[in-house]
Amino acid sequence: MTNKDLADLIFPNITKTIEDYEREYPQRNLPENAKVTRFAPSPTGFMHIGHFMPALIDYVLAKQSKGVFYLRNEDTDKSREVEGAVEYIRNVLSHYHLNPDEYEYRDINESKGEYGPYIQSERKEIYQTFIKHLIMEGKAYPCFLTQEEMDSIRESQARDKRRIGIYGRYAKYRNLKVEEAIEKIKNNEKYTIRLKSSGNFNHKFKFNDLVNGEMEFPENDIDIPIMKSSNGLPTYHFAHLVDDYLMHTTHVVRGQEWVSSIPIHYELFKTFGFKMPKYIHIPLILKKDGEKVRKISKRYDPEAKMSYYEEKGYPTYAVIEAVMTIINSNYEAWREGHPNSSFTEFEFSPKKMSSSGALFDLDKLDNISKNYISHLTKEEVYKEVLNWSKKYDIEFFNILEKNQDDSLAIFNIEREQKKPRKDFACFSEVKSQTWYMFDELWDKYDKNYEFQNVQDKEEIKNILTTYFNEYYCDTDDKDTWFDKIKELTDKLGYCSNMKEYKQNPDKYKGNVTDITTVIRVAVTSKSQTPDLYEILKILKKDRIESRIRKFI
Ligand code: GLU
């Protein structure tokens, strides 16, 4: 009996060959140096920033080289699959406009691309063809070790401080005679398929990682499992080999945690004589926690999840920019010189990634975002806040819809000027910063009037009554308005000239800002707001009067 008999017994239905698949998935017809990248998440949880960063790099690499960015669903571990995870990944990619060129979305019955299926659980036959080939060549074998045997091997290895795994004398079934293996299979004994490693742990090989540079590793000598017994699907390592080979991936962008698997992948590609793709192992994403810097945690840091940014209403532009700045240290300088270019035009360089970790800073994101929002038009802000609130705050959505003209005017305060006001970091902040401009919210909220220097109730009353009865003026000219305020100031014994006030503060009850603060607080309840003149203009006489009267 031969290896072929064994292979046929294990895979009776596999009749195709590797060459058949090579013909089916020929070289891609792309310009020279075009990069083929893939985002290959396992649907075992919700997308976090550690997924978003490689996806962004994949996208940039493919777009700037006129290549292909495809999405592969790595769902071989059915027991860990989380419902809705695939749909969520699709939504995040589409939210950020990182749409893959090739994909397969079963839930909405949509697919694109000639190199599919792009869902690993639907590629079983392909993987098994490659595994069958290895068995026929005597380079893979069925292993009948039971879970108990493997546990006891692991325990003894740990006890004796030896390397963990099935290698050398622990690989009990690697030299089993074909006849015996066939007999065991016919007796329904459970098995997994293992690679018959030809590596020597004492030999080293050199490997060039695009981020880490030249690295040296000992050869793999572990007979790693390549097919799971539970469902006949391959392990990650083997699927990586087959998929990235047949889909013609040129660059694999993945987490640092895979660096230790390089010897395995190196051996697998070598065994088949396939060229390895290039690898970009991205650094860990870190965050500042008090004085310490630590790894960002999916469990404890809300900002680790991509849903955080959508819920908060950060513009997609700002999130992409913030992540790009930690991908390459020279990104910010590039952006300054190219304020209007797409991030995809930035020439990403894996060498400029920090291999020790990338520090993600929410303050930085806020700054980027504030700056970005400040340069939107009032209509754009209105649309964005409307979109966000429709999903996350229906009360505010209704108010904005009902008060479109006021909303636009509010969002335009200190906007169309050389240095626009930078007040919103995300769209969820808009309500808490503008609520007092909408009667529906003004009437509903408890107000904490933040009076400052002038605290005396009678004095406040006097300022407000005099202002409204004698100095109130509707005008489109801010200077005229302010002249009136200054007159009011002087009349009440305050000083309208700041220079004069600074020289002789004792001569006055206070200065003009004390007067504007009293008016500001009475009509908004806040001591800090954008331009008071603009606010009064939007509120208009009736509302100002009613607020002042109610207050008094
Ligand atoms: N499915 C793997 C993961 O989610 C992909 C790693 C890779 O990109 O190769 O970690």
Side-chain angles (χ1 to χ4, degrees), residues 38-44 51 54 58 72-75 120 236 240 244 252-255 257-258 265 279:
R38 84 292 195 279
F39 177 42
S42 305
T44 50
H51 290 130
D58 284 325
R72 187 167 70 221
N73 178 356
E74 305 219 319
D75 64 340
Q120 288 189 330
Y236 165 74
H240 159 47
D244 287 314
V252 168
V253 184
R254 61 183 183 185
E257 67 272 22
W258 295 111
H265 301 161
Y279 290 82

Side-chain angles (χ1 to χ4, degrees), residues 134 195-201 203-209 214-222 224 226 236-238 240-242 252 254 258-279 281:
L134 281 188
L195 174 76
K196 197 186 252 183
S197 173
S198 61
N200 179 339
F201 188 72
H203 288 172
K204 300 247 190 301
F205 71 95
K206 286 193 170 47
F207 177 86
N208 195 24
D209 176 272
E214 191 174 90
M215 302 172 89
E216 204 177 59
F217 293 93
E219 284 178 7
N220 173 62
D221 66 346
I222 295 178
I224 52 138
I226 53 178
Y236 165 74
H237 307 301
F238 201 77
H240 159 47
L241 163 92
V242 174
V252 168
R254 61 183 183 185
W258 295 111
V259 169
S260 57
S261 302
I262 289 172
I264 294 172
H265 301 161
Y266 181 83
E267 179 171 21
L268 283 173
F269 276 86
K270 210 170 84 182
T271 304
F272 280 92
F274 299 157
K275 184 170 170 238
M276 280 184 108
K278 295 199 161 64
Y279 290 82
H281 287 103

